[in-house]
Structure formats: C-alpha cells, structure tokens
Amino acid sequence: MSAILIKNCAAMLTGARHAPRSPARDIRIRDGVILEMGELTPQADERVIDARDCVAYPAWVNTHHHLFQSLLKGEPQGLNQSLSAWLAATPYRFRGAFDEQTFRIAARIGLVELLRSGCGTVADHHYLYWPDMPFDGAAVLFEEADALGMRFVLCRGGATQTRGLESDLPTALRPEKFDAWMADVERLTAKYHQPGTQAFRQVVMAPTTTLHSTTPQELRESARLARSLGIRLHSHLSETVDYLDAARAKFGMTPLQFCAEQEWTGEDVWFAHLVKLLPEEIRLLGETGSGIAHCPQSNGRLGSGIADLVALEAAGVKVSIGVDGAASNEAADMQSETHAAWLLQRARKGMLAKPRYEGGEFEGGGDAATIEDVVRWGTAGGAQVLGLTGTGTLAPGQAADIALYRLDDPRYFGLHDIAIGPVACGGRAYLKALLVGGRVAVEEDRIPGLDLAALGRQAQEAVFTLQRRAGVRG
Ligand SMILES: [Zn+2]
C-alpha cells in the first residue's frame, strides 16, 4: 500500500464528540491507516497531497439507502404523494421492471453521487427480492462498490407478507418463503461478511419493515439468526404517524414495544426514520442502545416530518445520517443530507417555541444542532451504528477514510470559519481527494477510470427502458 502525506489543510473536523476540531494541518497515512497528525515533514517514499485551501473531514458514512431507486428520481406519479401512495406509485410499480443491467446502472449512479459528496461507506437496504429472482442483486452491489473502492454494507431486505393484494400479485411483489430468505442471509454472510471495525464488506439482517414484512414469530427468529451469525439488524420504523396506528391495531402496543418483544432492539440494531415516536419509545430506544438512520430530505420530500435527533441523542440513541433512496430524495448525496439535517433540527425546535404568556421558555432552535454535531452524526455516528468504529473519525490508528474539500468557490468566499463550509454552505464542494482505507477513490473531483458522460447516457436509456416495461412509454 502506498504511503501518503496530506499537507497544509486549512482546517480539520475530526468527527469526534470530544475535540471535534483538530489543530493539525498534516495527516500521514500508512497501510490504509492514519499513522500521525500534526506538523509533519515529507519522507522520501511518500506521495504528498497538497491540501492548501482544503478542509479535511472524515469520509461520510451513509447508513440508509435503496440504490435501485437511483433511476426513479422525480417520477411524476409519486412526486406529490405521501409515503403509502408514493410506495405504490413509484418503487413498487417499477420494481419488476428492473433487470441486471438497469439495476447495475442504478447502483452505479447512486454510489458515484455519494462518492462525489465525500462518502466512503454505504449501507444499502436492498429489498428488491422476489421468488426465483433472475439476477443476484447482492453480487452486483458488492461488485459496483468494490470497483469504486467504497466500503459496502448490504442490508438484506425482504418480506414474507404483503399488505392486501394477496391474489394476482405481479411476480416482483410476491413474497419470499422465510426459510429461503434466511438461507440466503446465511449464504451472503459466509460469502461477503468481514469481521472487524474496518471491514470493507458487511451483511445485515434487514426485513423491509418490522411491522408488516413478516409474522412476529419470523421476526424474532430473524433476530436470533442474525445474532448467531454475528451480523447486525436494520429496518424501517415509525416513518410516519401511520406506524403508531398500525401497531396499535395489529398488536395493541407501540411500534417500539412490538420490536422489543421480538428482540429487535439493542446495540446491534438501527432503524431508518423514527420520525413519529412517543416519549416512552424514545426512552426504550435509548435504554437499549439502539440507533437511528436519520433521513431528513426523504422525510421532507414525503411530508413525513422531522425526527427529533436532539431528544433521541439525549436519551442515549446512536444517531447517524442516511440519504434514503433517490425515488424520495432527488439530492441523494451526503453533503445535501447533512446540510438539510443541520437546518431542519434547528427549524424543528423553533417550531415548538411558544410565547412566554403561554408558558414558553425559549425563543427558538438556535442551539439545536451545531455543524460539529451534524458532521459527527454523518461520520462517527454512522460508523458506530454499523459497528465500523475503526472508521469515521480522524485520529491516529483510524482507517484513512478522508475527504478533502477545496473551498475556493465564491460560495465559500467571506466565510469567517472555513471549517464549516462543506456543510453550512450547502451544495457540492470540489473534492480535491477522497481516500477510503488509504486508497485514492476521487482525485481533483474525478473518479479515476469512470466516464461520467457515458454513465449519463446509460442512465437516460435505462430510464426509457424502465418506463417502457412499466407501461409508461410505448
Ligand atoms: Zn428507506
């Protein structure tokens, strides 16, 4: 492995809770790991990356995505819908239209967008499964992430139940048999899952939703199998207020109580969304050390609400950030997502402000979340949720997953504190370099060996193909 010295960074955010800023300007990398930080003199065998005008962050860790949706952006029938209607109109209507080629293009687009926003690790909640699938989506995802040099966590989704529509289901909406699904999780774990806190490939047990995808008994069995295999657990939960109604109607309890009864809480569990929670559910999440993948742009786009990260973190919940699928987030990149998280946490708190004559105590949300908080959630928080704690922070001994943003665009002119630019100013910064495990994955804003114009043409063709197959276009 090559020896690299990053020299002259203008500023560094570390992702750590304590000491979120480093006074260091240089980072020495050996064998994929940060060896030292400080003021360092180049050595003869080192490649030097000049990071003048650059801000260094840990590479982002995206903890919730559905990469197949990268070809479903702005799909008109689902554009102005809330969750259930959107699911039927867009992801479910198009899922049977995917074949290996269109799926591969979708995955590549999503991964490339993330990479170009400074993201090094992706957890994809892949639920595009039906009996006798004609292609192996997991293999495609690992291949594509591998080709781009990213860490990849496959959250193997699926369902044995469908909501209504039992008869005459299209093939792509037919549920799997529980035993076949679990056997596939075992196969994938044996084939891909690497142990350790700096793993490049991991597998996670991930029924599509805990409330609706399986029977309670199957859900409990899935948790037990996951723990016997040493893999983590992930699912959607409490994305809208409907989850509270559904859990009460089906099981006579809160969604979180239901999960806890099926052994689906704990240090090894994280849920996407958690927008609508009762106070006792927040407590239960915190007491069990469970985690959240906060997806503010998707929650906004679908009109679902804004998760209360401040209360969740205060209760002991592990907080991370995910972009969710591009069918409900047309800006599926981590710079946009963290920018939104920063603004929306503050807006959320301000919305709760009451006048003093009604017993109000604060004027707004000015202290709800700092840039340092958001960077920590998007880096170290994600690493913690995934168990990849040897990544996600800038410190000696940690994996060299490092994004260098060059802030010489007018967008950043006039900043009093250049360190906050990549999140505070919004938009995508010029990526001087992105390193993942010490390997250069992006250099001078380009991904080596990737023809972006060709990918754009393939995307357009793939969109036409999907539209034809879904009967949108003749
Ligand atoms: Zn999702």
Side-chain angles (χ1 to χ4, degrees):
M1 266 234 174
S2 57
I4 296 175
L5 180 66
I6 297 171
K7 192 85 188 120
N8 304 319
C9 295
M12 258 184 227
L13 292 191
T14 63
R17 185 193 284 265
H18 305 292
R21 289 174 183 240
S22 170
R25 295 292 168 258
D26 309 333
I27 306 173
R28 173 161 286 134
I29 296 155
R30 282 286 186 284
D31 298 326
V33 170
I34 297 173
L35 186 67
E36 52 182 334
M37 293 163 58
E39 199 165 319
L40 306 172
T41 309
Q43 295 176 353
D45 63 338
E46 275 176 341
R47 183 190 157 193
V48 176
I49 297 177
D50 182 3
R52 211 176 303 269
D53 296 327
C54 293
V55 174
Y57 283 14
W60 300 112
V61 178
N62 167 25
T63 58
H64 184 72
H65 206 143
H66 310 288
L67 283 163
F68 84 94
Q69 295 180 8
S70 303
L71 285 168
L72 299 176
K73 292 173 190 168
E75 189 283 308
Q77 282 195 28
L79 189 59
N80 295 304
Q81 305 284 1
S82 53
L83 179 65
S84 298
W86 164 84
L87 270 173
T90 306
Y92 288 176
R93 191 162 61 99
F94 280 89
R95 50 183 275 154
F98 281 89
D99 60 9
E100 180 165 344
Q101 180 59 12
T102 43
F103 178 68
R104 187 179 290 282
I105 298 297
R108 192 174 300 166
I109 292 166
L111 291 169
V112 164
E113 281 182 270
L114 287 164
L115 204 61
R116 281 164 49 90
S117 73
C119 178
T121 300
V122 182
D124 192 56
H125 193 179
H126 176 54
Y127 61 77
L128 203 61
Y129 284 101
W130 58 87
D132 306 316
M133 282 286 291
F135 62 95
D136 183 353
V140 171
L141 290 167
F142 277 117
E143 279 164 22
E144 290 296 318
D146 209 44
L148 293 166
M150 302 175 87
R151 294 183 205 274
F152 190 78
V153 178
L154 174 78
C155 304
R156 205 300 192 178
T160 62
Q161 314 267 304
T162 56
R163 284 193 260 184
L165 304 165
E166 298 302 337
S167 61
D168 218 19
L169 274 178
T171 310
L173 286 175
R174 281 187 199 141
E176 292 182 277
K177 293 274 181 271
F178 185 68
D179 290 347
W181 172 14
M182 293 301 112
D184 195 45
V185 173
E186 289 191 71
R187 174 188 74 88
L188 293 167
T189 303
K191 186 165 181 190
Y192 296 108
H193 187 78
Q194 299 169 343
T197 62
Q198 296 181 347
F200 260 84
R201 294 172 159 192
Q202 294 213 317
V203 174
V204 168
M205 180 73 77
T208 308
T209 88
T210 45
L211 288 195
H212 303 297
S213 298
T214 63
T215 65
Q217 176 63 28
E218 288 169 344
L219 192 62
R220 200 170 324 125
E221 279 180 39
S222 75
R224 289 180 183 174
L225 176 61
R227 290 186 175 118
S228 78
L229 295 171
I231 62 173
R232 293 184 168 262
L233 298 85
H234 177 55
S235 190
H236 291 102
L237 195 69
S238 300
E239 183 167 356
T240 65
V241 76
D242 290 350
Y243 274 74
L244 284 165
D245 288 321
R248 175 169 293 189
K250 275 175 94 167
F251 309 114
M253 58 184 93
T254 67
L256 246 303
Q257 252 177 317
F258 171 72
C259 289
E261 289 206 0
Q262 313 317 322
E263 302 170 20
W264 260 80
T265 50
E267 296 279 347
D268 53 358
V269 181
W270 85 104
F271 295 109
H273 306 305
L274 298 176
V275 171
K276 293 287 182 186
L277 297 172
L278 300 176
E280 62 262 37
E281 294 185 278
I282 294 180
R283 240 184 345 264
L284 182 53
L285 280 164
E287 282 165 8
T288 54
S290 310
I292 176 179
H294 174 51
C295 307
Q297 296 193 128
S298 170
N299 298 153
R301 155 82 146 77
L302 294 171
S304 303
I306 306 170
D308 189 351
L309 295 193
V310 177
L312 285 162
E313 185 155 68
V317 177
K318 297 198 284 271
V319 175
S320 69
I321 309 257
V323 302
D324 207 1
S328 61
N329 178 7
E330 283 71 17
D333 73 79
M334 285 296 281
Q335 271 192 269
S336 298
E337 204 66 42
T338 47
H339 179 64
W342 179 55
L343 296 177
L344 289 172
Q345 282 308 299
R346 298 161 78 88
R348 183 186 198 286
K349 194 166 172 201
M351 283 171 66
L352 303 173
K354 282 200 253 175
R356 287 188 209 288
Y357 60 76
E358 280 186 11
E361 286 175 5
F362 55 87
E363 63 174 0
D367 61 346
T370 64
I371 295 287
E372 286 87 344
D373 288 332
V374 173
V375 170
R376 173 167 54 80
W377 294 334
T379 58
Q384 226 191 347
V385 154
L386 300 177
L388 297 174
T389 48
T391 74
T393 50
L394 299 185
Q398 291 292 87
D401 293 13
I402 304 167
L404 298 173
Y405 302 102
R406 199 178 78 197
L407 305 188
D408 59 353
D409 183 88
R411 179 181 283 269
Y412 309 101
F413 294 173
L415 263 180
H416 287 227
D417 175 10
I418 195 170
I420 69 170
V423 171
C425 297
R428 196 182 75 82
Y430 180 99
L431 202 50
K432 169 78 181 176
L434 173 69
L435 278 65
V436 186
R439 183 186 160 275
V440 178
V442 180
E443 189 161 21
E444 297 299 346
D445 220 28
R446 296 166 65 89
I447 298 169
L450 181 79
D451 182 345
L452 275 184
L455 183 59
R457 287 191 297 274
Q458 288 170 315
Q460 189 60 70
E461 272 172 38
V463 166
F464 290 157
T465 301
L466 293 177
Q467 288 176 335
R468 242 188 336 267
R469 289 183 189 151
V472 178
R473 168 187 294 269

